[in-house]
């Protein structure tokens, strides 16, 4: 084993975090703690309410359960470590820990991407082909879509991690980020990273850009359909719903594309950190509000869930 590899295995990485200014760490800790708890509670309640309610077993809610579960796990891969590092003096992470964090981060992020595309397709079929909805979105089809999302995402992540594990890090081990991510680590490597960058722009684009284009196409067709509704109030409500969905989708994919689909030589650490916060913290927190909490059926299921809890607590 060469000296470079010995150095990379023996020296931990130092996550510099969101800021190096000590006076900003506590306010940032409180801010992101609130955002994290809100996201965990929102997504956790959606999963619990849908699983507990017999009325919420439609394909849309089946997909939504998996999206909320993926979001819950996605934020938990990076945010707890970021919060701990904002208060701790030791912000180190081993190479094995770094690769493990990257594996689950990539896998869950791509799962999110695929599930968002599946949900857009579900709404497209429901609005454009309502007579065929039961067959096109049967339980078998939904299970296949979800299974494919999890399978593709883990295959994608495993491929990237196997390549990242072969790199040597013989320069500084200070990572200008709050978690182990592709771009800042590639900048620290003294190995040839062209093959990894090529993979990002090809296979990576396939699992990110393709679902994004499918979502845009689905919502474009949905918007065209709802504009033909006879009721002006119905059109306004439907367009408002589509607009809020597309706003969150655009925030998620826009920031992902801004971070990953640039050459490593042009990567800017500060811009990367800000963009990463958007799709690791903000959009997982917004998804329950946009897709669920404005839904009357979900609101009813949540009320029933809390009512049962109060009754069971009173009986105990």
């Amino acid at each position: 084993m060469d000296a470079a590899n010995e150095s990379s295995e023996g020296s931990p990485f130092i996550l510099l975090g969101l800021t190096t200014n000590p006076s900003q760490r506590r306010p940032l800790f409180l801010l992101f703690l609130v955002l994290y708890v809100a996201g965990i509670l929102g997504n956790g309640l959606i999963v619990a309410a849908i699983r507990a309610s017999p009325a919420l077993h439609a394909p849309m809610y089946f997909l939504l359960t998996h999206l909320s579960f993926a979001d819950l796990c996605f934020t938990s891969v990076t945010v707890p470590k970021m919060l701990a590092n904002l208060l701790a003096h030791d912000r180190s992470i081993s190479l094995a820990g770094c690769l493990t964090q990257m594996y689950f981060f990539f896998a869950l992020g791509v799962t999110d991407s695929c599930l968002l595309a599946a949900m857009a397709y579900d709404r497209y079929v429901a609005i454009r082909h309502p007579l065929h909805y039961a067959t096109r979105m049967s339980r078998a089809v939904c299970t296949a879509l979800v299974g494919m999302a999890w399978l593709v995402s883990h295959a994608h992540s495993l491929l990237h991690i196997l390549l990242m594990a072969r790199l040597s890090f013989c320069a500084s081990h200070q990572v200008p980020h709050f978690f182990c991510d592709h771009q800042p680590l590639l900048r620290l490597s003294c190995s040839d990273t062209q093959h990894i960058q090529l993979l990002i722009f090809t296979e990576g684009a396939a699992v990110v850009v393709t679902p994004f284009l499918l979502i845009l196409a689905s919502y474009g067709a949905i918007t065209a359909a709802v504009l033909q509704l006879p009721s002006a109030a119905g059109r306004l409500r439907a367009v408002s719903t589509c607009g809020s969905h597309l706003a969150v989708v655009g925030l998620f994919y826009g920031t992902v594309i801004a971070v990953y689909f640039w050459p490593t030589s042009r990567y800017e650490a500060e811009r990367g950190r800000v963009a990463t916060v958007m799709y690791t913290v903000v959009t997982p927190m917004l998804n329950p509000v946009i897709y669920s909490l404005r839904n009357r059926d979900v609101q009813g299921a949540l009320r029933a869930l809390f009512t049962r809890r109060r009754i069971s607590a009173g009986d105990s």
Side-chain angles (χ1 to χ4, degrees):
M1 183 180 294
D2 58 26
N5 280 327
E6 288 179 0
S7 173
S8 67
E9 291 182 2
S11 302
F13 292 101
I14 306 298
L15 298 173
L16 297 182
L18 291 169
T19 180
T20 55
N21 187 340
S23 64
Q24 296 177 350
R25 289 177 184 166
R26 192 170 295 275
L28 286 173
F29 173 85
L30 294 174
L31 171 64
F32 283 101
L33 178 63
V34 170
L35 294 177
Y36 177 63
V37 171
I40 292 295
L41 286 177
N43 285 294
L45 286 173
I46 295 305
V47 173
I50 292 176
R51 291 185 64 86
S53 174
L56 299 182
H57 286 170
M60 177 180 71
Y61 299 116
F62 176 74
L63 296 172
L64 184 57
T65 300
H66 283 270
L67 178 68
S68 294
F69 177 72
D71 277 339
L72 190 154
C73 297
F74 185 51
T75 55
S76 297
V77 170
T78 58
V79 178
K81 178 67 173 175
M82 176 188 72
L83 292 173
N85 286 347
L86 282 170
L87 298 181
H89 294 291
D90 180 11
R91 297 187 293 276
S92 63
I93 183 171
S94 66
L95 177 61
C98 203
L99 293 176
T100 301
Q101 187 183 56
M102 289 178 67
Y103 176 84
F104 287 104
F105 179 79
F106 294 155
L108 292 164
V110 173
T111 301
D112 250 19
S113 176
C114 295
L115 289 175
L116 287 171
M119 292 177 65
Y121 175 72
D122 171 77
R123 292 299 84 204
Y124 165 78
V125 175
I127 293 174
R128 297 290 293 186
H129 305 283
L131 298 180
H132 301 285
Y133 182 74
T135 54
R136 292 194 181 186
M137 294 302 297
S138 65
R139 188 56 178 247
V141 172
C142 290
T143 302
L145 288 173
V146 169
M148 187 63 67
W150 287 100
L151 178 63
V152 167
S153 63
H154 282 276
H156 160 85
S157 184
L158 181 61
L159 176 61
H160 282 262
I161 294 306
L162 289 176
L163 291 175
M164 292 292 293
R166 296 168 60 90
L167 297 180
S168 297
F169 300 93
C170 48
S172 170
H173 280 218
Q174 293 188 340
V175 182
H177 214 316
F178 60 88
F179 73 102
C180 294
D181 200 7
H182 250 147
Q183 296 286 33
L185 285 180
L186 290 178
R187 300 230 20 199
L188 295 179
S189 176
C190 52
S191 303
D192 183 7
T193 62
Q194 290 186 355
H195 58 297
I196 297 181
Q197 294 185 60
L198 179 62
L199 187 67
I200 294 173
F201 281 96
T202 52
E203 186 270 345
V207 298
V208 173
V209 178
T210 301
F212 183 41
L213 295 177
L214 289 174
I215 292 171
L216 293 180
S218 296
Y219 276 105
I222 291 170
T223 302
V226 299
L227 289 177
Q228 298 176 9
L229 293 174
S231 168
R235 289 197 301 270
L236 182 61
R237 185 167 56 251
V239 170
S240 173
T241 301
C242 288
S244 61
H245 288 187
L246 283 175
V248 176
V249 166
L251 180 63
F252 177 79
Y253 284 100
T255 50
V256 167
I257 292 170
V259 169
Y260 294 106
F261 296 98
W262 289 92
T264 303
S265 58
R266 297 178 59 186
Y267 176 78
E268 296 179 9
E270 184 174 355
R271 187 187 69 179
R273 286 194 299 268
V274 173
T276 304
V277 165
M278 293 296 116
Y279 65 81
T280 58
V281 181
V282 176
T283 54
M285 181 193 67
L286 291 177
N287 279 339
V289 178
I290 298 299
Y291 288 101
S292 309
L293 299 182
R294 302 196 311 174
N295 182 301
R296 292 180 180 177
D297 293 333
V298 174
Q299 290 174 4
L302 286 171
R303 283 194 295 270
L305 184 66
F306 285 123
T307 301
R308 281 197 294 271
R309 284 181 176 176
R310 286 198 294 269
I311 292 173
S312 62
D315 293 340
S316 60

